Amino acid sequence: MNDSTRAPASAPAHRRARVRAPELIGKGGWLNTGDEQYTLADLRGRIVLLDFWTFCCINCLHVLDELRELEEKHRDTVVIIGVHSPKFVHEAEHQAVVDAVERYGVGHPVLDDPELATWKQYAVRAWPTLVVIDPEGYVVAQHAGEGHAHAIELLVEELEAEHAAKGTLRRGDGPYVAPEPEPTVLRFPGKALALPSGNLLVSDTTRHQLVELAEDAETVVRRIGSGVRGFVDGTAEAAGFSEPQGLALLDEGAVVVADTVNHALRRVDLATGAVSTLAGTGRQWWQGAPTSGPAREVDLSSPWDVALFGGKVWIAMAGVHQLWAFDPATETVEVTAGTTNEGLVDGPGPEAWFAQPSGLAATEDRLWLADSETSALRWVDRDGTVNTAVGTGLFDFGHRDGAAEQALLQHPLGVTALPDGSVAVSDTYNHALRRYDPATGEVTTLATDLREPSDAVLVGDDIVVVESARHRLTRLRLPEEAVRVESVAHRTRREATEVAPGVIRLDVVFQAPAGQKLDTRYGPSTRLLVSATPPGLLLAGEGAGTDLSRTVELDPAVTEGVLHVSAMAASCDDDPATEYPACHVHQQDWGVPVRLTEGGADRLPLVLAGMDDQETVQGA
């Protein structure tokens, strides 16, 4: 945006609420700072953007990508601080956070907050949440979910002008110090595929390449892709990927690749290594965009894995919690299952709910899938019905063998069909390879002491596991007896919000960013969907509507549960001189653990964008 469109420096366009920002506290310390530790006082004079994230969360990964341009453009005035706030037990391990920061190319300092101390101080309720702190140390905006980069950039430009005029803006280099690169053959590999030649193809995710390895799973035969993040078709040397993941044989001569951060499917010619695009535009799918049509014209959202099932390439569309399919014969794509709501609901494909499906494996009559955020193993029948074998929902996870109804996984990313009809699960956050046998309904452990296994592939009598965080493939003999492990069970680390039984007010706070207004040209521009686990928690207030505030009634007999709230708002640039103003979608799904307590809160505010004038962060 050029200077002429900014508000005058001495007269900001609107009065902005300000709350003193609480201190940044994290037991794990700071990453990407060259071992320096920072306080808010050290950052005074800079615009600070706190990004509350956790590395399991696909929406958090989307926000990392949304912020890259802002980060580069305003490098001398804006300091982005990632505040890592774990959901899963594994995410509270410091080394796991170190790995994730490198894996996803995080180019700013990160505060490791395993005990959620800073999360609580800022009254955060969802991943991801963005908080803007002005150069004088005051919180001036909060945004939950995706799609806020444009609004934040407008606010940053306004703050730059305002504080430059006041003399309170300090320009210069930020505290980011890049880590030294490690000289491993693979770097955070994602998925693997056995090729007709007997070689193995691996998605070398962090290096934005595919690597073909010889049968020994170690010797490099060739690399496909330039190694530079990009969306480029062409020769093996020139082509560009962006954090590729899933791989599947399209036919004997070609492989289809889930090019995750490019939101695309790519085709690799095995003879030449040439790369072309099968589906996707390079843009991320948003609510309201087409969900079917010519494959090169329809936006996708973080495809994580692919598998050939029923003559089509099925896609684990992690970014929108759905399954899609690409038809090679017609070169079209369409949604095959999922509503975009995040959760665990079985039934006909169009009614099912998923949560970041991340691994696929096809047999003759079933498409198996690892549904990572629900720590679940699920499958789709030939008729499109979705079923669950292991897993209960978003907040229960662990490492427990036995009957599938009570067995637990922790954020699995891969699934592999075995010759006897059972399936192996890459149980990523448990560092284990698990097995589910449909014939007996039992879950066992095949191997432990792996490091973030993300996929596995059968090679003869062996299974080759992608040990993502050890940067290697590991060959295991399929054991005849399961490994015995001590059972553990966990719930999410988030504390429940204490609310009053009976009638409470649910308020989704949304304030259109400066220079924008709600887009009501074609009807309501907001949407609110409310449900609960267990369903009996809600006596009234369930379902969809257009008002962002709603009265709900909670059953006093149900003492604990989770409120699922999905909100969307569309705002457009408010400039009468612009015939076709740019519009922006803001959306977020919350899963709020609640405990019904006499004297608990009778209002539950969830900030989508802006500041809640009835609740402030817990600062001084």
Side-chain angles (χ1 to χ4, degrees):
M1 177 175 290
N2 59 45
D3 290 345
S4 64
T5 60
R6 294 181 183 151
S10 59
H14 54 94
R15 183 174 177 82
R16 199 183 302 112
R18 300 204 314 170
V19 178
R20 176 63 71 181
E23 190 52 82
L24 304 178
I25 305 166
K27 192 174 181 180
W30 290 79
L31 305 176
N32 282 357
T33 62
D35 295 327
E36 291 290 327
Q37 306 297 303
Y38 285 90
T39 66
L40 274 178
D42 299 324
L43 304 172
R44 195 63 50 81
R46 312 298 291 273
I47 300 164
V48 177
L49 176 58
L50 302 182
D51 176 14
F52 288 87
W53 70 299
T54 189
F55 63 78
C56 72
C57 159
I58 191 67
N59 311 92
C60 300
L61 304 186
H62 289 166
V63 167
L64 285 176
D65 291 310
E66 285 181 11
L67 295 178
R68 291 186 201 279
E69 186 177 346
L70 174 76
E71 194 165 29
E72 183 60 36
K73 185 175 178 182
H74 298 274
R75 188 169 292 280
D76 67 333
T77 59
V78 174
V79 175
I80 298 178
I81 304 290
V83 182
H84 189 269
S85 313
K87 170 187 174 181
F88 289 98
V89 168
H90 170 59
E91 293 175 305
E93 296 177 16
H94 182 68
Q95 185 57 48
V97 181
V98 173
D99 288 344
V101 167
E102 181 188 350
R103 180 195 299 269
Y104 297 116
V106 180
H108 50 251
V110 172
L111 177 64
D112 180 13
D113 182 20
E115 297 176 348
L116 302 180
T118 297
W119 165 288
K120 294 170 188 172
Q121 283 285 91
Y122 281 81
V124 175
R125 298 187 190 275
W127 298 277
T129 290
L130 298 169
V131 175
V132 181
I133 301 172
D134 73 13
E136 294 177 293
Y138 289 90
V139 173
V140 293
Q142 182 171 329
H143 302 265
E146 303 177 49
H148 302 294
H150 177 77
I152 289 172
E153 173 147 17
L154 291 176
L155 176 57
V156 163
E157 292 184 341
E158 186 180 307
L159 290 171
E160 285 175 341
E162 178 183 338
H163 287 274
K166 290 174 65 175
T168 50
L169 183 70
R170 178 167 58 91
R171 295 179 181 270
D173 293 334
Y176 172 67
V177 177
E180 289 292 323
E182 298 285 343
T184 52
V185 172
L186 301 172
R187 204 68 192 162
F188 297 105
K191 305 287 185 181
L193 174 68
L195 297 175
S197 65
N199 289 347
L200 294 164
L201 190 65
V202 184
S203 54
D204 198 17
T205 303
T206 298
R207 292 203 179 120
H208 316 297
Q209 289 182 318
L210 309 181
V211 179
E212 185 175 343
L213 301 176
E215 293 182 48
D216 63 6
E218 294 181 4
T219 304
V220 175
V221 175
R222 62 175 170 172
R223 293 181 179 271
I224 299 172
S226 66
V228 177
R229 186 191 297 271
F231 189 20
V232 181
D233 287 343
T235 64
E237 298 76 22
F241 297 97
S242 188
E243 300 181 27
Q245 286 283 349
L247 307 165
L249 279 173
L250 194 58
D251 51 51
E252 287 294 301
V255 167
V256 57
V257 182
D259 193 6
T260 304
V261 178
N262 277 329
H263 310 295
L265 298 188
R266 315 293 291 283
R267 179 188 185 275
V268 176
D269 186 297
L270 287 175
T272 66
V275 177
S276 56
T277 299
L278 292 174
T281 63
R283 297 183 301 271
Q284 183 184 339
W285 185 91
W286 287 97
Q287 290 285 354
T291 54
S292 63
R296 293 285 301 273
E297 299 174 15
V298 176
D299 299 339
L300 309 182
S301 183
S302 296
W304 207 275
D305 204 5
V306 282
L308 205 62
F309 181 62
K312 296 181 179 181
V313 177
W314 284 60
I315 309 163
M317 202 71 78
V320 284
H321 318 298
Q322 290 181 311
L323 301 180
W324 290 40
F326 165 73
D327 188 337
T330 61
E331 297 184 347
T332 57
V333 290
E334 63 178 350
V335 177
T336 49
T339 64
T340 76
N341 295 319
E342 185 177 12
L344 194 153
V345 177
D346 289 340
E351 300 172 14
W353 290 25
F354 302 97
Q356 288 179 219
S358 301
L360 298 175
T363 64
E364 183 62 32
D365 59 350
R366 289 184 179 183
L367 179 72
W368 292 97
L369 68 110
D371 203 28
S372 63
E373 278 292 283
T374 53
S375 297
L377 172 66
R378 307 175 74 183
W379 82 88
V380 182
D381 288 334
R382 278 284 186 177
D383 65 3
T385 302
V386 178
N387 309 268
T388 297
V390 182
T392 59
L394 285 164
F395 297 96
D396 294 295
F397 54 90
H399 191 155
R400 188 161 65 198
D401 286 340
E405 298 78 37
Q406 57 86 51
L408 293 172
L409 309 169
Q410 186 180 180
H411 198 82
L413 290 178
V415 60
T416 307
L418 300 179
D420 64 356
S422 66
V423 291
V425 179
S426 295
D427 193 5
T428 309
Y429 288 3
N430 280 328
H431 310 300
L433 190 68
R434 312 286 293 283
R435 174 177 177 263
Y436 168 69
D437 186 351
T440 64
E442 293 285 313
V443 175
T444 53
T445 298
L446 296 173
T448 58
D449 194 32
L450 301 167
R451 187 68 187 170
E452 292 193 16
S454 53
D455 197 20
V457 60
L458 283 173
V459 179
D461 293 331
D462 297 338
I463 189 163
V464 175
V465 180
V466 180
E467 276 198 274
S468 188
R470 282 200 178 113
H471 319 292
R472 70 186 188 193
L473 303 190
T474 298
R475 187 182 298 268
L476 303 172
R477 179 62 53 127
L478 281 174
E480 297 183 14
E481 300 260 341
V483 177
R484 299 206 174 275
V485 296
E486 184 178 347
S487 294
V488 292
H490 302 288
R491 298 214 85 212
T492 177
R493 299 177 66 85
R494 295 171 59 190
E495 294 179 359
T497 299
E498 294 193 349
V499 296
V503 175
I504 70 168
R505 185 73 177 170
L506 175 64
D507 286 333
V508 172
V509 177
F510 178 77
Q511 297 159 3
Q516 296 179 33
K517 64 179 181 179
L518 286 174
D519 178 19
T520 56
R521 291 170 298 171
Y522 307 106
S525 60
T526 55
R527 179 176 178 269
L528 181 65
L529 177 67
V530 180
S531 61
T533 303
L537 173 63
L538 275 177
L539 294 176
E542 184 180 12
T546 59
D547 193 336
L548 292 181
S549 292
R550 184 179 301 181
T551 297
V552 300
E553 185 177 358
L554 307 179
D555 187 346
V558 181
T559 57
E560 288 193 355
V562 179
L563 283 176
H564 302 283
V565 181
S566 178
M568 186 274 289
S571 61
C572 294
D573 294 345
D574 186 14
D575 183 353
T578 303
E579 185 176 0
Y580 299 105
C583 295
H584 315 275
V585 176
H586 316 262
Q587 62 185 47
Q588 172 64 8
D589 295 331
W590 290 268
V592 184
V594 294
R595 181 181 301 113
L596 274 59
T597 308
E598 291 296 337
D602 61 2
R603 175 177 179 265
L604 179 60
L606 301 172
V607 177
L608 179 59
M611 296 281 283
D612 179 20
D613 57 10
Q614 297 183 49
E615 178 183 80
T616 61
V617 295
Q618 299 160 15

